[in-house]
């Protein structure tokens, strides 16, 4: 399979690789996929509790080049967005941006799931605290 | 400067050896005759060339020339052997025994026969990739007509105990077919010593051209008969009709002749390169696992899992090196390797497997270069891998509640 320029760029220069302390109350962690399926994405968001804006994002991914590129792209896209804006990111947008072939669509779905899971995790922490 | 890309996928296919090509060239042009033309010199010349090739193929496997049937390749040879026996010996029985790690050309052929009422036993293999001979003995019934077990596996290079299998088959009066596509020309193969009744060969795995192969069909003790799978002019003792691919057959013969000469030294050289690659990788990387037996293995094969690094992303990282992966992402079915699964390798590690297939034109410099690129890429991708980070932090990955894709 040949890869699009953008997938190659994200693979060769992945953005925002790393981790935040998952116990930090301003951090939301989403981990989706399974090693048996060949894909695990972990996406972490750092949210400004005052504004509800995602100020930083980090990822680590076990998976093919398209999975790495999808999660790398997701970290770029969520930064500077509010939680609601980030929740609005659809996998099709990732597919289009990275020109993913049909067999790689699941990578974009996983990235969308990772964003949602990270936001859910953050909200759970936040709401838990307020109670 | 090393020349890239480097080819290290010799189980997939091999380049035609220049000596083989030279032997083939005249048969495209001046000597273009049909080997079945009995009444002029063009035909005689072609027939002579085919007969010479038949002898060369036979010599490499300890057979006689008349026992060689030319085909389009090992897939056809496997189909002809298995379906041919099932058809010819239907009155004697309807049970075939094969193994879980066979090539699809054998497994899917058996599956098709199963739909037509043939009983098929698929033997499991151990962690080392070897079939259990006791399980084989137990599987044989008075309806068993064929055992089809490969000589060398195409993914993990594991060599089955063909001599013992052949002995068991002979004792029990069952025919023994072996898909020797990966073995012929790489390790000594002898149909007499190993009691092999049918053996599949492919030219392009041994520095010959694509689109040509052979099936060895024993003529004595016992005389094996096959139901032809194609109707036509009755070529190849009536077992395989179709005008002979004279150029390809000449190439197969020449490839066999080269292998017969060079096999002993080439096997030693390739095993040395393979071991060099293995020890370099093992010295530099933790948690790398060889898949399948190292002891019973082709000299040119190394199949390793690199924990926490998905195979396709690895192939992207070593893009100037041509190797294969058992990762689902690199297969058409999106399933990880069924061969590794049969060995009990978990899907998690199957996704991280890489097959290195060394060959005639690889050098020590290339091996060192490949080792370096693999080490560099594994290290880079492990830094990117959440699994690696978790494992380092002492998390047992088996206990994590994963969230597979919705």
């Amino acid at each position: 399979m040949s890869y699009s320029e953008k997938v190659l760029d994200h693979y060769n220069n992945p953005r925002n690789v790393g981790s935040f302390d998952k116990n930090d109350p301003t951090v939301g962690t989403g981990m989706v996929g399974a090693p048996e399926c060949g894909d695990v994405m972990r996406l972490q968001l750092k949210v400004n509790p005052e504004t509800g804006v995602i100020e930083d994002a980090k990822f680590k991914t076990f998976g093919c080049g398209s999975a790495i590129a999808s999660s790398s792209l997701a970290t770029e896209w969520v930064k500077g967005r509010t939680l609601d804006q980030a929740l609005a990111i659809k996998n099709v947008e990732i597919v289009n941006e990275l020109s993913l072939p049909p067999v790689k669509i699941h990578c974009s779905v996983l990235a969308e799931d990772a964003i949602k899971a990270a936001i859910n995790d953050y909200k759970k922490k936040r709401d838990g605290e307020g109670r | 400067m090393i020349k890239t890309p480097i080819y290290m996928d010799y189980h997939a296919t091999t380049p035609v050896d220049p000596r083989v090509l030279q032997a083939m060239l005249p048969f495209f042009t001046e000597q273009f005759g049909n080997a079945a033309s009995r009444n002029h010199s063009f035909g005689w010349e072609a027939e002579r060339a085919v007969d010479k090739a038949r002898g060369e193929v036979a010599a490499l496997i300890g057979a006689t020339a008349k026992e060689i049937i030319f085909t389009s390749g090992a897939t056809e040879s496997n189909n002809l052997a298995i379906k041919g026996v099932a058809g010819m010996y239907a009155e004697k029985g309807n049970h075939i025994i094969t193994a879980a790690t066979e090539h699809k050309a054998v497994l899917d052929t058996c599956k098709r026969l199963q739909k037509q009422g043939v009983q098929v036993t698929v033997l499991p293999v151990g962690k080392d990739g070897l079939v259990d001979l006791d399980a084989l003995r137990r599987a044989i019934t008075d309806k068993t007509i064929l055992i089809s077990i490969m000589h060398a596996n195409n993914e993990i290079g594991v060599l089955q105990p063909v001599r013992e299998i052949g002995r068991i088959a002979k004792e029990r009066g069952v025919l023994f077919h072996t898909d020797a596509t990966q073995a012929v020309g790489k390790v000594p193969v002898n149909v007499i010593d190993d009691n092999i009744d049918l053996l599949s060969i492919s030219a392009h795995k041994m520095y010959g051209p694509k689109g040509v192969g052979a099936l060895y069909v024993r003529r004595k003790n016992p005389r094996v008969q096959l139901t032809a799978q194609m109707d036509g002019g009755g070529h190849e003792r009536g077992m395989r009709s179709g005008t002979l691919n004279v150029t390809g057959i000449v190439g197969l013969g020449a490839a066999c002749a080269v292998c017969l000469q060079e096999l002993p030294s080439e096997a030693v050289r390739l095993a040395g390169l393979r071991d060099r690659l293995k020890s370099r990788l093992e010295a530099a990387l933790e948690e790398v696992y060889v898949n399948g037996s190292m002891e019973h293995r082709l000299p040119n094969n190394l199949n390793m899992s690199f924990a926490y690094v998905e195979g396709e992303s690895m192939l992207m990282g070593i893009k100037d090196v041509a190797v294969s992966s058992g990762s689902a992402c690199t297969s058409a079915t999106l399933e990880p390797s069924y061969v590794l699964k049969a060995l009990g390798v978990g899907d998690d590690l199957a996704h991280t497997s890489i097959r290195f297939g060394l060959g005639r034109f690889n050098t020590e410099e290339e091996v060192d270069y490949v080792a370096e690129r693999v080490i560099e890429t594994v290290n880079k991708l492990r830094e990117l891998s959440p699994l690696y980070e978790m494992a380092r932090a002492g998390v047992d990955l088996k206990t994590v509640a994963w969230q597979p894709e919705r």
Side-chain angles (χ1 to χ4, degrees), chain B residues 42-62:
Chain B
F42 293 87
W44 301 330
E45 240 174 8
E47 193 185 17
R48 233 185 346 262
V50 167
D51 284 345
K52 176 166 177 270
R54 220 183 279 284
E56 288 166 329
V57 175
L60 185 59
I61 59 169

PDB file of all heavy atoms in Angstrom, chain B residues 42-62:
ATOM      1  N   PHE B  42      12.137 -28.139 -34.846  1.00  0.00           N
ATOM      2  CA  PHE B  42      11.767 -27.146 -33.811  1.00  0.00           C
ATOM      3  C   PHE B  42      11.182 -27.865 -32.593  1.00  0.00           C
ATOM      4  O   PHE B  42      11.524 -27.584 -31.456  1.00  0.00           O
ATOM      5  CB  PHE B  42      10.751 -26.143 -34.380  1.00  0.00           C
ATOM      6  CG  PHE B  42      11.313 -25.269 -35.456  1.00  0.00           C
ATOM      7  CD1 PHE B  42      11.317 -25.683 -36.787  1.00  0.00           C
ATOM      8  CD2 PHE B  42      11.854 -24.025 -35.138  1.00  0.00           C
ATOM      9  CE1 PHE B  42      11.847 -24.883 -37.779  1.00  0.00           C
ATOM     10  CE2 PHE B  42      12.378 -23.210 -36.130  1.00  0.00           C
ATOM     11  CZ  PHE B  42      12.382 -23.644 -37.465  1.00  0.00           C
ATOM     12  N   GLY B  43      10.281 -28.776 -32.860  1.00  0.00           N
ATOM     13  CA  GLY B  43       9.652 -29.542 -31.788  1.00  0.00           C
ATOM     14  C   GLY B  43      10.662 -30.418 -31.058  1.00  0.00           C
ATOM     15  O   GLY B  43      10.660 -30.498 -29.832  1.00  0.00           O
ATOM     16  N   TRP B  44      11.546 -31.058 -31.831  1.00  0.00           N
ATOM     17  CA  TRP B  44      12.532 -31.960 -31.210  1.00  0.00           C
ATOM     18  C   TRP B  44      13.451 -31.195 -30.263  1.00  0.00           C
ATOM     19  O   TRP B  44      13.770 -31.654 -29.178  1.00  0.00           O
ATOM     20  CB  TRP B  44      13.372 -32.679 -32.275  1.00  0.00           C
ATOM     21  CG  TRP B  44      12.548 -33.498 -33.228  1.00  0.00           C
ATOM     22  CD1 TRP B  44      11.360 -34.109 -32.945  1.00  0.00           C
ATOM     23  CD2 TRP B  44      12.842 -33.779 -34.591  1.00  0.00           C
ATOM     24  NE1 TRP B  44      10.885 -34.755 -34.056  1.00  0.00           N
ATOM     25  CE2 TRP B  44      11.777 -34.582 -35.093  1.00  0.00           C
ATOM     26  CE3 TRP B  44      13.899 -33.458 -35.461  1.00  0.00           C
ATOM     27  CZ2 TRP B  44      11.744 -35.043 -36.406  1.00  0.00           C
ATOM     28  CZ3 TRP B  44      13.871 -33.925 -36.768  1.00  0.00           C
ATOM     29  CH2 TRP B  44      12.790 -34.712 -37.236  1.00  0.00           C
ATOM     30  N   GLU B  45      13.841 -29.993 -30.749  1.00  0.00           N
ATOM     31  CA  GLU B  45      14.742 -29.166 -29.934  1.00  0.00           C
ATOM     32  C   GLU B  45      14.080 -28.805 -28.613  1.00  0.00           C
ATOM     33  O   GLU B  45      14.685 -28.871 -27.549  1.00  0.00           O
ATOM     34  CB  GLU B  45      15.028 -27.850 -30.687  1.00  0.00           C
ATOM     35  CG  GLU B  45      16.462 -27.627 -31.001  1.00  0.00           C
ATOM     36  CD  GLU B  45      16.652 -26.386 -31.866  1.00  0.00           C
ATOM     37  OE1 GLU B  45      15.684 -25.627 -32.091  1.00  0.00           O
ATOM     38  OE2 GLU B  45      17.792 -26.181 -32.298  1.00  0.00           O
ATOM     39  N   ALA B  46      12.817 -28.398 -28.713  1.00  0.00           N
ATOM     40  CA  ALA B  46      12.076 -28.007 -27.504  1.00  0.00           C
ATOM     41  C   ALA B  46      11.917 -29.213 -26.587  1.00  0.00           C
ATOM     42  O   ALA B  46      12.092 -29.105 -25.366  1.00  0.00           O
ATOM     43  CB  ALA B  46      10.714 -27.438 -27.885  1.00  0.00           C
ATOM     44  N   GLU B  47      11.606 -30.353 -27.170  1.00  0.00           N
ATOM     45  CA  GLU B  47      11.414 -31.550 -26.354  1.00  0.00           C
ATOM     46  C   GLU B  47      12.705 -31.941 -25.641  1.00  0.00           C
ATOM     47  O   GLU B  47      12.702 -32.328 -24.476  1.00  0.00           O
ATOM     48  CB  GLU B  47      10.923 -32.710 -27.230  1.00  0.00           C
ATOM     49  CG  GLU B  47      10.411 -33.870 -26.403  1.00  0.00           C
ATOM     50  CD  GLU B  47      10.034 -35.087 -27.241  1.00  0.00           C
ATOM     51  OE1 GLU B  47      10.464 -35.161 -28.414  1.00  0.00           O
ATOM     52  OE2 GLU B  47       9.328 -35.958 -26.714  1.00  0.00           O
ATOM     53  N   ARG B  48      13.828 -31.794 -26.395  1.00  0.00           N
ATOM     54  CA  ARG B  48      15.128 -32.105 -25.786  1.00  0.00           C
ATOM     55  C   ARG B  48      15.384 -31.191 -24.583  1.00  0.00           C
ATOM     56  O   ARG B  48      15.837 -31.636 -23.533  1.00  0.00           O
ATOM     57  CB  ARG B  48      16.238 -31.925 -26.834  1.00  0.00           C
ATOM     58  CG  ARG B  48      17.107 -33.148 -26.939  1.00  0.00           C
ATOM     59  CD  ARG B  48      18.315 -33.046 -27.852  1.00  0.00           C
ATOM     60  NE  ARG B  48      18.402 -31.947 -28.777  1.00  0.00           N
ATOM     61  CZ  ARG B  48      18.064 -31.989 -30.067  1.00  0.00           C
ATOM     62  NH1 ARG B  48      17.585 -33.097 -30.600  1.00  0.00           N
ATOM     63  NH2 ARG B  48      18.223 -30.936 -30.841  1.00  0.00           N
ATOM     64  N   ALA B  49      15.064 -29.911 -24.763  1.00  0.00           N
ATOM     65  CA  ALA B  49      15.295 -28.949 -23.675  1.00  0.00           C
ATOM     66  C   ALA B  49      14.425 -29.285 -22.471  1.00  0.00           C
ATOM     67  O   ALA B  49      14.873 -29.206 -21.321  1.00  0.00           O
ATOM     68  CB  ALA B  49      14.994 -27.536 -24.171  1.00  0.00           C
ATOM     69  N   VAL B  50      13.186 -29.679 -22.751  1.00  0.00           N
ATOM     70  CA  VAL B  50      12.276 -30.036 -21.650  1.00  0.00           C
ATOM     71  C   VAL B  50      12.780 -31.288 -20.937  1.00  0.00           C
ATOM     72  O   VAL B  50      12.764 -31.367 -19.701  1.00  0.00           O
ATOM     73  CB  VAL B  50      10.838 -30.233 -22.188  1.00  0.00           C
ATOM     74  CG1 VAL B  50       9.958 -30.908 -21.146  1.00  0.00           C
ATOM     75  CG2 VAL B  50      10.240 -28.896 -22.621  1.00  0.00           C
ATOM     76  N   ASP B  51      13.250 -32.248 -21.722  1.00  0.00           N
ATOM     77  CA  ASP B  51      13.751 -33.486 -21.105  1.00  0.00           C
ATOM     78  C   ASP B  51      14.968 -33.217 -20.222  1.00  0.00           C
ATOM     79  O   ASP B  51      15.114 -33.803 -19.154  1.00  0.00           O
ATOM     80  CB  ASP B  51      14.122 -34.509 -22.184  1.00  0.00           C
ATOM     81  CG  ASP B  51      12.870 -35.153 -22.794  1.00  0.00           C
ATOM     82  OD1 ASP B  51      11.793 -35.005 -22.176  1.00  0.00           O
ATOM     83  OD2 ASP B  51      12.976 -35.760 -23.873  1.00  0.00           O
ATOM     84  N   LYS B  52      15.820 -32.306 -20.714  1.00  0.00           N
ATOM     85  CA  LYS B  52      17.012 -31.955 -19.927  1.00  0.00           C
ATOM     86  C   LYS B  52      16.561 -31.336 -18.595  1.00  0.00           C
ATOM     87  O   LYS B  52      17.040 -31.713 -17.525  1.00  0.00           O
ATOM     88  CB  LYS B  52      17.878 -30.966 -20.713  1.00  0.00           C
ATOM     89  CG  LYS B  52      19.102 -30.457 -19.968  1.00  0.00           C
ATOM     90  CD  LYS B  52      20.069 -29.755 -20.931  1.00  0.00           C
ATOM     91  CE  LYS B  52      21.269 -29.166 -20.207  1.00  0.00           C
ATOM     92  NZ  LYS B  52      21.042 -27.778 -19.770  1.00  0.00           N
ATOM     93  N   ALA B  53      15.602 -30.427 -18.686  1.00  0.00           N
ATOM     94  CA  ALA B  53      15.104 -29.763 -17.479  1.00  0.00           C
ATOM     95  C   ALA B  53      14.458 -30.783 -16.531  1.00  0.00           C
ATOM     96  O   ALA B  53      14.640 -30.710 -15.318  1.00  0.00           O
ATOM     97  CB  ALA B  53      14.097 -28.677 -17.854  1.00  0.00           C
ATOM     98  N   ARG B  54      13.739 -31.720 -17.114  1.00  0.00           N
ATOM     99  CA  ARG B  54      13.093 -32.758 -16.298  1.00  0.00           C
ATOM    100  C   ARG B  54      14.143 -33.508 -15.484  1.00  0.00           C
ATOM    101  O   ARG B  54      13.951 -33.794 -14.302  1.00  0.00           O
ATOM    102  CB  ARG B  54      12.351 -33.729 -17.221  1.00  0.00           C
ATOM    103  CG  ARG B  54      11.005 -34.189 -16.704  1.00  0.00           C
ATOM    104  CD  ARG B  54      10.375 -35.192 -17.651  1.00  0.00           C
ATOM    105  NE  ARG B  54       9.702 -34.615 -18.808  1.00  0.00           N
ATOM    106  CZ  ARG B  54       8.507 -34.015 -18.762  1.00  0.00           C
ATOM    107  NH1 ARG B  54       7.866 -33.908 -17.625  1.00  0.00           N
ATOM    108  NH2 ARG B  54       7.953 -33.519 -19.847  1.00  0.00           N
ATOM    109  N   GLY B  55      15.246 -33.790 -16.137  1.00  0.00           N
ATOM    110  CA  GLY B  55      16.344 -34.484 -15.457  1.00  0.00           C
ATOM    111  C   GLY B  55      16.965 -33.622 -14.362  1.00  0.00           C
ATOM    112  O   GLY B  55      17.326 -34.118 -13.291  1.00  0.00           O
ATOM    113  N   GLU B  56      17.074 -32.319 -14.647  1.00  0.00           N
ATOM    114  CA  GLU B  56      17.679 -31.416 -13.663  1.00  0.00           C
ATOM    115  C   GLU B  56      16.806 -31.259 -12.419  1.00  0.00           C
ATOM    116  O   GLU B  56      17.302 -31.226 -11.290  1.00  0.00           O
ATOM    117  CB  GLU B  56      17.938 -30.041 -14.302  1.00  0.00           C
ATOM    118  CG  GLU B  56      19.088 -30.071 -15.308  1.00  0.00           C
ATOM    119  CD  GLU B  56      19.145 -28.837 -16.200  1.00  0.00           C
ATOM    120  OE1 GLU B  56      18.085 -28.248 -16.509  1.00  0.00           O
ATOM    121  OE2 GLU B  56      20.267 -28.475 -16.604  1.00  0.00           O
ATOM    122  N   VAL B  57      15.501 -31.177 -12.643  1.00  0.00           N
ATOM    123  CA  VAL B  57      14.580 -31.079 -11.498  1.00  0.00           C
ATOM    124  C   VAL B  57      14.650 -32.377 -10.691  1.00  0.00           C
ATOM    125  O   VAL B  57      14.785 -32.359  -9.463  1.00  0.00           O
ATOM    126  CB  VAL B  57      13.125 -30.817 -11.964  1.00  0.00           C
ATOM    127  CG1 VAL B  57      12.165 -30.838 -10.779  1.00  0.00           C
ATOM    128  CG2 VAL B  57      13.028 -29.499 -12.726  1.00  0.00           C
ATOM    129  N   ALA B  58      14.593 -33.502 -11.416  1.00  0.00           N
ATOM    130  CA  ALA B  58      14.608 -34.804 -10.749  1.00  0.00           C
ATOM    131  C   ALA B  58      15.877 -34.981  -9.921  1.00  0.00           C
ATOM    132  O   ALA B  58      15.830 -35.462  -8.781  1.00  0.00           O
ATOM    133  CB  ALA B  58      14.481 -35.921 -11.787  1.00  0.00           C
ATOM    134  N   ALA B  59      17.017 -34.559 -10.483  1.00  0.00           N
ATOM    135  CA  ALA B  59      18.295 -34.758  -9.804  1.00  0.00           C
ATOM    136  C   ALA B  59      18.342 -34.036  -8.464  1.00  0.00           C
ATOM    137  O   ALA B  59      18.938 -34.514  -7.501  1.00  0.00           O
ATOM    138  CB  ALA B  59      19.439 -34.273 -10.697  1.00  0.00           C
ATOM    139  N   LEU B  60      17.692 -32.879  -8.400  1.00  0.00           N
ATOM    140  CA  LEU B  60      17.745 -32.088  -7.166  1.00  0.00           C
ATOM    141  C   LEU B  60      16.966 -32.744  -6.027  1.00  0.00           C
ATOM    142  O   LEU B  60      17.245 -32.503  -4.853  1.00  0.00           O
ATOM    143  CB  LEU B  60      17.211 -30.668  -7.436  1.00  0.00           C
ATOM    144  CG  LEU B  60      17.305 -29.663  -6.288  1.00  0.00           C
ATOM    145  CD1 LEU B  60      18.740 -29.470  -5.831  1.00  0.00           C
ATOM    146  CD2 LEU B  60      16.696 -28.327  -6.689  1.00  0.00           C
ATOM    147  N   ILE B  61      15.976 -33.585  -6.366  1.00  0.00           N
ATOM    148  CA  ILE B  61      15.140 -34.169  -5.308  1.00  0.00           C
ATOM    149  C   ILE B  61      15.261 -35.694  -5.244  1.00  0.00           C
ATOM    150  O   ILE B  61      14.489 -36.354  -4.550  1.00  0.00           O
ATOM    151  CB  ILE B  61      13.649 -33.772  -5.474  1.00  0.00           C
ATOM    152  CG1 ILE B  61      13.094 -34.236  -6.823  1.00  0.00           C
ATOM    153  CG2 ILE B  61      13.481 -32.252  -5.329  1.00  0.00           C
ATOM    154  CD1 ILE B  61      11.579 -34.110  -6.937  1.00  0.00           C
ATOM    155  N   GLY B  62      16.217 -36.245  -5.960  1.00  0.00           N
ATOM    156  CA  GLY B  62      16.434 -37.686  -5.896  1.00  0.00           C
ATOM    157  C   GLY B  62      15.385 -38.503  -6.624  1.00  0.00           C
ATOM    158  O   GLY B  62      15.157 -39.666  -6.287  1.00  0.00           O
TER     159      GLY B  62
END
